[in-house]
Amino acid sequence: MKWLEDARRGVPPSRARWRIVLHEVIFEADTSAGKGFDVLLIASILASVVVVMLDSIGAVRSHYSSLLYGIEWFFTIIFTAEYLLRLTCVGRPFKYAVSFYGIVDLLAIIPTYLSLFLPGSQYLLVIRILRILRIFRILKLVAYLGEARLLMKALRMSGRKIAVFLYTVLTLVVIFGSLMYVIEGGANGFTSIPRSIYWAIVTLTTVGYGDISPQTILGQTLASMVMILGYAIIAVPTGIVTVEMSQAFNRKVSTQACPECSAEGHDVDARHCKFCGAAL
Amino acid sequence: MKWLEDARRGVPPSRARWRIVLHEVIFEADTSAGKGFDVLLIASILASVVVVMLDSIGAVRSHYSSLLYGIEWFFTIIFTAEYLLRLTCVGRPFKYAVSFYGIVDLLAIIPTYLSLFLPGSQYLLVIRILRILRIFRILKLVAYLGEARLLMKALRMSGRKIAVFLYTVLTLVVIFGSLMYVIEGGANGFTSIPRSIYWAIVTLTTVGYGDISPQTILGQTLASMVMILGYAIIAVPTGIVTVEMSQAFNRKVSTQACPECSAEGHDVDARHCKFCGAAL
Amino acid sequence: MKWLEDARRGVPPSRARWRIVLHEVIFEADTSAGKGFDVLLIASILASVVVVMLDSIGAVRSHYSSLLYGIEWFFTIIFTAEYLLRLTCVGRPFKYAVSFYGIVDLLAIIPTYLSLFLPGSQYLLVIRILRILRIFRILKLVAYLGEARLLMKALRMSGRKIAVFLYTVLTLVVIFGSLMYVIEGGANGFTSIPRSIYWAIVTLTTVGYGDISPQTILGQTLASMVMILGYAIIAVPTGIVTVEMSQAFNRKVSTQACPECSAEGHDVDARHCKFCGAAL
Amino acid sequence: MKWLEDARRGVPPSRARWRIVLHEVIFEADTSAGKGFDVLLIASILASVVVVMLDSIGAVRSHYSSLLYGIEWFFTIIFTAEYLLRLTCVGRPFKYAVSFYGIVDLLAIIPTYLSLFLPGSQYLLVIRILRILRIFRILKLVAYLGEARLLMKALRMSGRKIAVFLYTVLTLVVIFGSLMYVIEGGANGFTSIPRSIYWAIVTLTTVGYGDISPQTILGQTLASMVMILGYAIIAVPTGIVTVEMSQAFNRKVSTQACPECSAEGHDVDARHCKFCGAAL
């Protein structure tokens, strides 16, 4: 277990030849073997998620129960082997194990083993769908990764404002929910404050199931206020995200003026003035 | 079938006099004959769509079944003749046949013939409504076409970001749907994972039919999270589209490439290439 | 009826002294008499709308039927007299009669007379609420009028794009509605194409009553697509209106450069350079 | 009661040593005692809100009624003592009492006393949740306070436009509600105009409970128009808030007034008044 010790100490192990080849096949997608492995992997993941979904449909389960059970274990054992291989051939197994993909890979096999003790937990296997996120990296969909990063950046930049907004929404639903509990009471479905808060969320977000709805005039008046409020304040997160995105996406315009004609408004990557052609 | 051969080879056929006249009447709207044809066509399309809708109402069908059946065949034969005429008089019939309008024109007559074998498929005739899109071109609503093109451009520019967003939404509804299936179970209406995913879509998009709604405290808590999430992330596509529209409507980028270095993306008022300084 | 003839010919009548005074009281709000009249008018309008609403509540009507009936006629006669007075004292009665306010004033009295022949039409009296729009002018809420005008301008500017969007939405609901009618059929509530189109509108706009909802797997899949589509394309009108508003509201920046220091970016109302103080 | 007199006259009282210490502990969070007090306070508030919520759940109340009743009074007495201490040690008690936090602190204890006369009013104690707003100040979440202030500023700037929008929405729901009352009538659930207006709000805001929904063809047609209207005009507040936020987040306007002409609204980088040219 020398390599494990090395990894723990952060020292890259002197890697054996077979581990380098394995790494190339499993982690990279430049060779044809690597590409084949990745396509096979994605197909397996999709197939296993479909099996979990089919297993949850009563009519299917009653007929093919043991078949689906077998397939489920088949995929789980495959993915377990793959997880162990990844741990073996990667340079720093600990770093991989605690990375996003490492955790998802682990979570994607645990539920089957867990279902031996906790029946029903095998349905959590759909978390395997997250493994598909790898598809962007594998298929060299770099442009999409760039877009995703831009979106994440804009959302992170608006994080604090969104937090303030969410805090306000939570305060509002607690207060409106409690008011409705006092006004409507249990007879009209508002049986407790938590349930009334649930109603307030359903209403403020304009979902409106209709499983609980106010019956008294006063309750309907208050509900109308909650609806109009929810209808109007959706403008707040929208505004926040739009402004941040606008800043995150926008083409940068240089502040540099042309030394010849003093024209401004050049792009940051411009090397010549777009009006007189002088070098910037 | 020489013209068909020609068209297949991409050679414009030497068109007979009657075909040129027919083309002007059917495809153009500059002459009074052409304008009259187009107005008649749009009226026929609208009338035939109304007939299909009336035919679907039980009370109407039971009384006027054969009349509506007759009208339907009448319009279908008219439109079939028109489709064949279009194929005949157009310069390159294959290009027309595989164009957007050519396919719509074909789809607009198929369902009636299909209904001889598959009863019920005649209701797909409403696809004829798509033929009305021609109205913009016919009535010289050029300004509207320009606006539509601008909108399409903004949507195409935001296509990748929207794709990333949709992928995220799909992953979310699969995971939330499965969680709800485990939490609520079949007794509360979440009878399978696909059905639970359907519920997750109904909730995340704030539609909220209420045909399936969580009954347990844990389920209602998770549902609340899904609602608030759906309420907040609507800001993401809105932000994306707003920013792209803002750029599509405002920024004028020339389509001119530099004659020296072939670089593109110059502003419309640029007189020199911003990369090499060559005159544009 | 000389003044009527004059008005018809567009000639301002030589107005008698009493008509000038009346005009000042009824149409203007500068004198204390005019202000008093306007406040009284708004109070009457609100009172009459409340009476109409009360009259529509069964429990109230059964007890106070004749009282409410009396009040209704009282207000109607008052408003009729006021309408005639307005016609009398205004310079060009025909221009007033066909103006927005003139039509609203007329519509606000007709339903009561109509209810003699068509019972139930008196409830249309709530159109009187539109008369309240006058409040902005009367109470000199000029700033609000300015904002309203800005909003109207932005909406008018985005009118064509919104029209293209609405046309697309209508085409989509017709096609999706018909598809659902074929898929689900009358047994699941989709009893006709118009009713299925109604369902498609309820779903695409994310209202989601739940009075009609798909039962088959295929129907739920298509419904999911409609929901996600409706959830995403709300971004289109939002983006359009935001961009147009941004242009309508934005502070104009002058393109003028300072003659002394060449600084740019001055406001259009600036008379001095904000950096060196030189006159612009 | 000399200090009370002083406070009433706006004179800062000569404060005793113990009151200064108390003020530091209760109002400030710089000392470890002050920080400890604040953390304890927030924990107490959260605990008391949870108790109120638990008390509202029938199953819990039936078993632990007297325990919860005791805890409720315990917290109320604690908070009452804290409120009196705050009044005692603050420099200007009247100013504190009428400030936002002062009023919330009072409202947070009143319901318990009120519940002696009005059973059920103790559920209004959830207003205590508003006291948590203090957490931002206490925990030095200054950055979040800044963001909240920016959001408030943007909302205040768009206040008038939002008011015009809300007025339009209210006018629309009154008119649409009344129309639906006339069209559908009491048999289909539209039992009165106020109830129909409630339906119009539920529909226009796209909440869509489904407790009232149109049954006639004409009613469904009108409802479809209301839905599409509601779906489209959400763009208006969103556009307003986005534009104002864009200006509030981006444009830096100095608060400095010109020493010569008192004009305001100068840019932060301005060194001269843009109206009279005087140095700022």
Side-chain angles (χ1 to χ4, degrees):
Chain A
M1 300 297 260
K2 184 178 170 299
W3 63 268
L4 196 67
E5 294 296 298
D6 285 347
R8 210 192 295 267
R9 292 203 314 273
V11 178
S14 60
R15 302 204 276 165
R17 174 78 195 134
W18 65 269
R19 279 173 54 207
I20 293 172
V21 170
L22 203 61
H23 185 273
E24 238 179 67
V25 172
I26 298 185
F27 280 90
E28 307 296 335
D30 300 321
T31 60
S32 65
K35 213 166 272 174
F37 176 85
D38 286 333
V39 170
L40 206 71
L41 182 65
I42 289 173
S44 307
I45 293 168
L46 284 179
S48 77
V49 168
V50 168
V51 167
V52 173
M53 286 189 183
L54 286 175
D55 182 46
S56 76
I57 302 170
V60 176
R61 188 171 50 234
S62 62
H63 283 83
Y64 306 97
S65 176
S66 50
L67 174 65
L68 294 169
Y69 189 74
I71 300 176
E72 212 169 280
W73 273 104
F74 169 75
F75 279 122
T76 301
I77 288 164
I78 295 274
F79 290 152
T80 308
E82 182 221 342
Y83 181 66
L84 294 176
L85 281 178
R86 276 181 192 270
L87 273 179
T88 312
C89 74
V90 82
R92 303 180 173 194
F94 271 29
K95 209 181 153 188
Y96 160 70
V98 298
S99 73
F100 174 73
Y101 285 121
I103 291 168
V104 167
D105 290 351
L106 185 61
L107 286 178
I109 49 177
I110 287 182
T112 315
Y113 298 107
L114 209 66
S115 71
L116 294 176
F117 313 101
L118 277 171
S121 57
Q122 76 270 19
Y123 298 120
L124 298 174
L125 284 172
V126 289
I127 199 121
R128 281 174 184 168
I129 203 88
L130 279 179
R131 296 196 73 192
I132 302 282
L133 284 175
R134 229 177 223 124
I135 208 170
F136 287 112
R137 198 174 48 79
I138 289 167
L139 302 184
K140 303 287 168 217
L141 300 172
V142 180
Y144 285 86
L145 271 187
E147 302 285 12
R149 217 169 294 134
L150 255 183
L151 289 180
M152 286 307 296
K153 187 185 157 200
L155 290 181
R156 245 199 324 275
M157 276 167 63
S158 42
R160 277 186 183 167
K161 291 194 192 72
I162 296 285
V164 169
F165 172 72
L166 283 183
Y167 183 86
T168 312
V169 164
L170 287 181
T171 306
L172 284 174
V173 294
V174 167
I175 289 175
F176 277 121
S178 308
L179 275 175
M180 286 302 276
Y181 173 71
V182 173
I183 291 172
E184 291 278 330
N188 293 333
F190 294 77
T191 50
S192 69
I193 289 184
R195 192 168 158 84
S196 300
I197 291 174
Y198 166 71
W199 167 87
I201 294 174
V202 169
T203 302
L204 193 84
T205 57
T206 76
V207 170
Y209 284 137
D211 50 351
I212 321 170
S213 64
Q215 304 301 324
T216 65
I217 306 244
L218 190 55
Q220 292 182 343
T221 309
L222 190 68
S224 300
M225 287 169 53
V226 176
M227 287 171 214
I228 291 177
L229 192 70
Y231 186 63
I233 63 175
I234 182 68
V236 175
T238 306
I240 294 169
V241 171
T242 303
V243 172
E244 297 294 352
M245 278 188 180
S246 164
Q247 293 184 349
F249 297 176
N250 265 346
R251 201 170 54 138
K252 292 287 175 294
V253 172
S254 165
T255 57
Q256 201 179 4
C258 172
E260 292 278 336
C261 68
S262 301
E264 291 192 346
H266 303 296
D267 297 342
V268 279
D269 59 347
R271 285 189 300 272
H272 285 268
C273 173
K274 63 184 178 180
F275 297 110
C276 71
L280 289 175
Chain B
M1 298 296 261
K2 183 179 170 300
W3 63 268
L4 197 64
E5 295 297 297
D6 285 347
R8 210 193 293 266
R9 292 202 315 272
V11 177
S14 61
R15 301 203 276 163
R17 173 78 195 134
W18 65 269
R19 278 174 56 208
I20 292 172
V21 170
L22 203 60
H23 185 273
E24 238 179 66
V25 171
I26 297 186
F27 279 91
E28 307 295 335
D30 301 319
T31 60
S32 65
K35 212 167 273 175
F37 177 84
D38 286 332
V39 169
L40 206 71
L41 181 65
I42 288 173
S44 307
I45 294 168
L46 284 178
S48 77
V49 169
V50 168
V51 166
V52 173
M53 287 190 183
L54 286 176
D55 183 47
S56 76
I57 303 171
V60 176
R61 189 172 49 234
S62 61
H63 284 84
Y64 305 98
S65 177
S66 50
L67 174 65
L68 293 168
Y69 190 74
I71 300 176
E72 211 168 281
W73 273 104
F74 169 76
F75 278 123
T76 300
I77 288 163
I78 294 272
F79 291 151
T80 308
E82 183 222 342
Y83 180 67
L84 295 176
L85 281 178
R86 276 180 192 271
L87 274 178
T88 313
C89 74
V90 80
R92 303 178 173 198
F94 271 28
K95 209 181 153 190
Y96 160 70
V98 298
S99 74
F100 174 74
Y101 284 122
I103 291 168
V104 167
D105 289 352
L106 184 61
L107 287 178
I109 49 178
I110 287 182
T112 316
Y113 298 107
L114 210 68
S115 71
L116 294 176
F117 313 101
L118 277 171
S121 57
Q122 76 272 19
Y123 297 120
L124 297 175
L125 285 172
V126 290
I127 198 119
R128 281 173 184 168
I129 203 88
L130 278 180
R131 297 195 72 192
I132 301 282
L133 284 176
R134 228 177 221 123
I135 207 171
F136 287 112
R137 198 174 47 79
I138 288 167
L139 302 184
K140 303 286 171 217
L141 300 173
V142 181
Y144 285 86
L145 271 188
E147 302 285 10
R149 218 169 294 134
L150 254 183
L151 289 180
M152 285 309 295
K153 188 186 157 199
L155 290 181
R156 245 199 325 274
M157 276 167 64
S158 42
R160 277 186 184 168
K161 290 194 193 72
I162 296 286
V164 169
F165 173 73
L166 283 183
Y167 183 86
T168 312
V169 164
L170 287 181
T171 307
L172 283 174
V173 295
V174 167
I175 290 175
F176 277 120
S178 308
L179 274 175
M180 285 303 275
Y181 172 71
V182 174
I183 291 171
E184 291 277 330
N188 294 331
F190 294 78
T191 49
S192 69
I193 289 184
R195 192 168 158 83
S196 300
I197 291 174
Y198 166 70
W199 167 85
I201 294 174
V202 169
T203 301
L204 193 85
T205 57
T206 77
V207 170
Y209 284 139
D211 50 352
I212 320 169
S213 64
Q215 304 300 324
T216 64
I217 304 246
L218 190 55
Q220 293 182 342
T221 309
L222 190 68
S224 300
M225 286 170 54
V226 176
M227 288 171 213
I228 291 177
L229 193 69
Y231 184 64
I233 63 176
I234 182 68
V236 174
T238 306
I240 294 169
V241 172
T242 303
V243 172
E244 296 295 352
M245 278 188 181
S246 164
Q247 291 184 353
F249 295 178
N250 294 330
R251 174 161 50 127
K252 298 281 179 293
V253 172
S254 164
T255 57
Q256 201 178 5
C258 173
E260 292 278 334
C261 70
S262 302
E264 290 192 347
H266 302 295
D267 296 342
V268 279
D269 59 347
R271 285 189 301 272
H272 285 269
C273 172
K274 64 184 178 179
F275 297 110
C276 70
L280 289 176
Chain C
M1 296 300 259
K2 183 180 169 300
W3 63 268
L4 198 64
E5 295 297 298
D6 285 346
R8 209 191 295 267
R9 292 203 314 272
V11 178
S14 63
R15 301 203 278 162
R17 174 77 195 133
W18 65 269
R19 279 175 55 210
I20 292 173
V21 170
L22 204 60
H23 185 271
E24 238 179 66
V25 171
I26 296 186
F27 279 90
E28 307 295 337
D30 300 320
T31 60
S32 65
K35 212 166 272 173
F37 177 85
D38 286 333
V39 170
L40 207 70
L41 181 66
I42 289 172
S44 307
I45 294 168
L46 285 178
S48 78
V49 168
V50 168
V51 166
V52 173
M53 287 189 182
L54 285 176
D55 183 46
S56 76
I57 303 171
V60 175
R61 189 171 50 234
S62 61
H63 284 84
Y64 305 99
S65 177
S66 50
L67 174 65
L68 294 169
Y69 190 73
I71 299 176
E72 214 168 280
W73 273 104
F74 168 76
F75 279 122
T76 301
I77 288 164
I78 294 274
F79 291 152
T80 309
E82 182 222 341
Y83 181 67
L84 295 176
L85 280 179
R86 277 181 191 271
L87 273 178
T88 313
C89 72
V90 81
R92 303 178 172 197
F94 271 28
K95 208 180 153 191
Y96 160 70
V98 298
S99 73
F100 173 73
Y101 285 121
I103 291 167
V104 167
D105 289 351
L106 185 61
L107 287 178
I109 48 176
I110 287 181
T112 315
Y113 298 108
L114 210 66
S115 70
L116 293 176
F117 313 101
L118 277 171
S121 57
Q122 77 271 18
Y123 298 120
L124 298 175
L125 285 172
V126 290
I127 198 123
R128 281 173 184 169
I129 203 86
L130 279 179
R131 298 196 71 193
I132 300 283
L133 284 175
R134 231 179 220 123
I135 208 171
F136 287 112
R137 197 174 48 79
I138 288 167
L139 301 184
K140 303 286 170 215
L141 300 172
V142 180
Y144 285 85
L145 271 187
E147 303 284 10
R149 217 169 294 135
L150 255 183
L151 289 180
M152 285 307 296
K153 187 186 159 202
L155 289 181
R156 245 198 326 273
M157 277 167 62
S158 42
R160 277 185 183 168
K161 292 195 191 74
I162 295 286
V164 169
F165 172 74
L166 282 183
Y167 183 85
T168 313
V169 164
L170 286 181
T171 306
L172 284 174
V173 295
V174 167
I175 290 175
F176 277 120
S178 308
L179 275 176
M180 286 302 277
Y181 172 71
V182 173
I183 292 172
E184 291 276 331
N188 294 333
F190 294 77
T191 50
S192 70
I193 289 185
R195 191 168 158 83
S196 300
I197 292 174
Y198 166 70
W199 167 87
I201 294 175
V202 168
T203 302
L204 193 84
T205 57
T206 77
V207 169
Y209 283 139
D211 50 352
I212 320 169
S213 64
Q215 304 301 324
T216 65
I217 304 247
L218 190 55
Q220 292 181 344
T221 309
L222 190 69
S224 299
M225 287 170 53
V226 176
M227 287 173 214
I228 290 177
L229 193 70
Y231 185 63
I233 63 175
I234 181 68
V236 174
T238 306
I240 294 169
V241 171
T242 302
V243 172
E244 296 294 353
M245 278 189 181
S246 163
Q247 293 183 350
F249 296 176
N250 265 346
R251 201 169 57 136
K252 292 286 175 294
V253 172
S254 166
T255 58
Q256 200 179 5
C258 172
E260 291 278 333
C261 70
S262 303
E264 290 191 346
H266 302 295
D267 297 343
V268 279
D269 59 348
R271 286 189 300 273
H272 284 269
C273 172
K274 64 184 176 178
F275 297 109
C276 69
L280 289 175
Chain D
M1 298 300 259
K2 183 178 169 299
W3 64 269
L4 197 65
E5 295 297 298
D6 286 347
R8 209 190 295 267
R9 292 203 314 271
V11 178
S14 62
R15 301 204 275 161
R17 173 79 194 131
W18 65 269
R19 279 173 55 208
I20 293 172
V21 170
L22 204 59
H23 185 271
E24 239 180 66
V25 171
I26 297 186
F27 279 90
E28 307 295 336
D30 301 320
T31 60
S32 65
K35 213 167 271 173
F37 176 84
D38 287 332
V39 170
L40 206 71
L41 182 65
I42 289 173
S44 306
I45 294 169
L46 285 178
S48 77
V49 168
V50 168
V51 166
V52 172
M53 287 189 182
L54 286 176
D55 183 47
S56 76
I57 303 170
V60 175
R61 189 171 50 234
S62 60
H63 283 84
Y64 305 98
S65 175
S66 50
L67 174 65
L68 293 169
Y69 189 74
I71 299 177
E72 211 169 282
W73 273 104
F74 169 76
F75 278 122
T76 301
I77 288 165
I78 295 274
F79 290 151
T80 308
E82 182 221 342
Y83 181 67
L84 294 176
L85 281 179
R86 275 180 193 271
L87 273 179
T88 312
C89 73
V90 81
R92 302 179 175 196
F94 271 29
K95 209 181 153 191
Y96 160 71
V98 297
S99 74
F100 174 72
Y101 285 121
I103 290 168
V104 167
D105 289 351
L106 185 60
L107 287 178
I109 49 176
I110 287 181
T112 315
Y113 297 108
L114 210 66
S115 70
L116 294 176
F117 313 101
L118 277 170
S121 57
Q122 76 271 19
Y123 298 120
L124 298 175
L125 285 172
V126 290
I127 198 124
R128 281 174 183 167
I129 204 87
L130 279 179
R131 298 196 70 193
I132 302 283
L133 284 176
R134 234 180 218 122
I135 208 170
F136 287 111
R137 197 174 48 78
I138 287 168
L139 301 184
K140 302 288 168 213
L141 301 173
V142 181
Y144 285 85
L145 270 187
E147 303 285 12
R149 217 169 293 135
L150 255 182
L151 289 180
M152 285 307 297
K153 188 186 158 199
L155 291 181
R156 244 199 326 273
M157 277 167 63
S158 42
R160 277 185 183 168
K161 292 194 191 73
I162 295 287
V164 169
F165 172 73
L166 283 183
Y167 183 86
T168 313
V169 165
L170 286 181
T171 307
L172 284 173
V173 294
V174 167
I175 290 175
F176 277 120
S178 307
L179 275 175
M180 285 303 276
Y181 173 71
V182 173
I183 292 171
E184 291 277 331
N188 294 333
F190 294 77
T191 50
S192 69
I193 290 184
R195 192 169 158 83
S196 300
I197 292 174
Y198 166 71
W199 167 86
I201 294 174
V202 169
T203 301
L204 193 84
T205 57
T206 76
V207 169
Y209 283 139
D211 50 352
I212 320 170
S213 64
Q215 304 300 326
T216 65
I217 304 246
L218 189 55
Q220 293 182 342
T221 309
L222 190 68
S224 300
M225 287 170 53
V226 176
M227 287 172 215
I228 290 177
L229 193 70
Y231 185 64
I233 62 174
I234 182 68
V236 174
T238 306
I240 295 170
V241 171
T242 303
V243 172
E244 296 294 352
M245 277 189 182
S246 164
Q247 292 184 351
F249 296 177
N250 294 331
R251 175 162 49 129
K252 297 282 179 297
V253 172
S254 165
T255 57
Q256 200 179 5
C258 171
E260 291 279 334
C261 69
S262 301
E264 291 191 347
H266 303 295
D267 296 341
V268 279
D269 59 347
R271 285 189 301 274
H272 285 268
C273 172
K274 64 183 179 179
F275 298 110
C276 70
L280 289 175

